[in-house]
Amino acid sequence: QSGMAARVGFDLYMRMLKKSMRQLRGLDLPVVPRSNVLLPGAEGSIEWVDGSAKNEKAAANSYLLPESYIEDAKERSQEESKARLAESTHQLVEITNGWKETYGAIPSKLQKNLKALHLHACLRQLGVDVVGLERGTGDCILRSPGLRPRHWAMICSQLPRGSPPKGLDVIFPARFSFSNDDTEITGGQRVDLEELLNNPQYGDDDEEWDALDEEEIEAMKEISSAQNIKRLSEVDTDNYPRFVVKALGKTAKKGSRVDALLKVLLPPSKVVFQKQQRDKEKAKVATELREKRELIAKQKKEQEKLGSRRMGYQY
């Protein structure tokens, strides 16, 4: 590494290294601890609501395991927390399969609440911090402050035909593509991975990479600010990357919006989950190999010490 830096110059070497790291990072979407879903009628909400709450509509949509399904209060609380903390829809399926074996068939009311949990798992996987309907158009806006063109290119490359789900568009504001206009990627159309990763308009020089690093820091601050808002209009969506499901508020029937969102969000969220699992496995293997090398090196050193003593030399 030092030889390479000496040949090309330290500044150029650091630029090359930073760009390579960017490309290798691929799906490093910022972690979203909680997604704020602001759909009409509290659809998709999993907020805790007191049993005596006057807002019956909110209470009906809050995720609560019925006492009739798990009678023991402590056990019910533990299972509910386990489901809420599930990192992916895959984990949720494993949890609910365990419930079926232990407690029996899932009640219909619980199935509805489980769909909301699946939605939130998808949103967290895709870095979405707030979801709501836009007035007038009825478009569903899913803001993802940490999403970058390279993320979406990598995700779409793993989907059938290399295209995002039909009905799920993505908009990157001009400041993220270093152009004069926003970049919109339409669902159902094939995404050119090389174009998104290598086109100079997506930031090919050192100053632009640094600008994106600063934007990612700002994105984390913005994610935190969206956790307690009550209306979509309270946060800035136009100046951040976002998914758009057009006219969802007008085309999806009342009570079916969660299903409509799951249809387009499940495929890309599964890609993210699978990639993260592969990365974890690679990291585990790499750690094991490093530990084995260190052990071999230690044993070799001990053997050398032993050999030196036998020959009458001090090590």
Side-chain angles (χ1 to χ4, degrees), residues 13-65:
Y13 174 74
M14 291 305 296
R15 289 175 62 184
M16 293 167 59
L17 181 61
K18 181 178 284 190
K19 184 174 180 180
S20 297
M21 290 177 64
R22 281 275 181 181
Q23 293 175 339
L24 288 171
R25 282 160 62 185
L27 295 179
D28 57 330
L29 278 164
V31 175
V32 178
R34 190 186 74 174
S35 300
N36 195 350
V37 178
L38 304 170
L39 295 176
E43 281 189 67
S45 173
I46 57 171
E47 298 304 314
W48 289 99
V49 177
D50 187 84
S52 61
K54 296 180 180 179
N55 189 340
E56 295 181 1
K57 187 175 288 186
N61 283 280
S62 64
Y63 181 75
L64 295 172
L65 282 167

Side-chain angles (χ1 to χ4, degrees), residues 261-275:
L261 288 174
L262 281 173
K263 183 178 179 180
V264 296
L265 294 176
L266 274 170
S269 68
K270 285 181 178 179
V271 169
V272 175
F273 171 72
Q274 290 167 357
K275 177 65 166 60

Side-chain angles (χ1 to χ4, degrees), residues 15-296:
R15 289 175 62 184
M16 293 167 59
L17 181 61
K18 181 178 284 190
K19 184 174 180 180
S20 297
M21 290 177 64
R22 281 275 181 181
Q23 293 175 339
L24 288 171
R25 282 160 62 185
L27 295 179
D28 57 330
L29 278 164
V31 175
V32 178
R34 190 186 74 174
S35 300
N36 195 350
V37 178
L38 304 170
L39 295 176
E43 281 189 67
S45 173
I46 57 171
E47 298 304 314
W48 289 99
V49 177
D50 187 84
S52 61
K54 296 180 180 179
N55 189 340
E56 295 181 1
K57 187 175 288 186
N61 283 280
S62 64
Y63 181 75
L64 295 172
L65 282 167
E67 293 183 20
S68 58
Y69 190 61
I70 302 179
E71 294 182 358
D72 184 81
K74 183 178 179 181
E75 190 174 354
R76 186 170 62 253
S77 176
Q78 289 175 341
E79 292 300 319
E80 183 164 348
S81 296
K82 190 192 302 181
R84 281 177 168 272
L85 294 172
E87 295 181 356
S88 67
T89 58
H90 177 78
Q91 289 184 2
L92 271 173
V93 170
E94 291 183 336
I95 291 169
T96 51
N97 284 340
W99 290 351
K100 291 176 185 177
E101 293 179 3
T102 306
Y103 309 109
I106 304 291
S108 57
K109 181 182 177 181
L110 180 53
Q111 288 178 351
K112 180 181 178 182
N113 290 335
L114 281 172
K115 286 183 180 180
L117 278 183
H118 277 280
L119 173 63
H120 279 256
C122 289
L123 296 173
R124 291 194 300 271
Q125 288 280 348
L126 295 171
V128 175
D129 65 337
V130 63
V131 178
L133 297 182
E134 197 173 58
R135 287 187 177 182
T137 64
D139 292 350
C140 184
I141 307 298
L142 305 91
R143 191 181 71 164
S144 181
L147 184 70
R148 299 294 179 265
R150 71 176 186 277
H151 297 140
W152 197 231
M154 295 294 289
I155 291 170
C156 292
S157 70
Q158 302 300 313
L159 293 172
R161 298 181 298 279
S163 62
K166 187 176 181 180
L168 183 65
D169 301 339
V170 182
I171 298 176
F172 294 102
R175 64 186 177 131
F176 293 98
S177 59
F178 303 99
S179 61
N180 295 324
D181 301 310
D182 292 355
T183 297
E184 182 170 354
I185 301 174
T186 305
Q189 296 183 8
R190 185 179 178 83
V191 174
D192 188 336
L193 175 61
E194 293 299 320
E195 171 74 8
L196 283 180
L197 288 179
N198 299 321
N199 191 318
Q201 77 168 3
Y202 296 111
D204 197 38
D205 65 38
D206 190 47
E207 291 183 2
E208 290 169 350
W209 286 124
D210 291 339
L212 283 178
D213 286 335
E214 293 176 5
E215 289 293 347
E216 288 180 359
I217 295 173
E218 290 302 314
M220 295 305 298
K221 295 179 181 178
E222 194 65 22
I223 287 171
S224 299
S225 70
Q227 291 186 5
N228 299 310
I229 65 168
K230 303 299 181 183
R231 293 181 298 275
L232 187 65
S233 58
E234 293 178 33
V235 293
D236 181 3
T237 57
D238 291 341
N239 290 309
Y240 286 92
R242 58 200 181 276
F243 297 98
V244 180
V245 181
K246 292 182 177 176
L248 179 75
K250 297 179 179 179
T251 57
K253 295 180 180 179
K254 181 180 178 181
S256 66
R257 296 186 183 104
V258 171
D259 290 317
L261 288 174
L262 281 173
K263 183 178 179 180
V264 296
L265 294 176
L266 274 170
S269 68
K270 285 181 178 179
V271 169
V272 175
F273 171 72
Q274 290 167 357
K275 177 65 166 60
Q276 291 173 342
Q277 293 299 109
R278 290 195 297 269
D279 288 345
K280 287 180 181 178
E281 187 60 32
K282 288 179 182 178
K284 181 181 177 182
V285 172
T287 300
E288 292 174 350
L289 285 173
R290 186 177 68 251
E291 291 174 349
K292 287 180 180 179
R293 290 195 191 101
E294 291 174 351
L295 179 61
I296 291 172

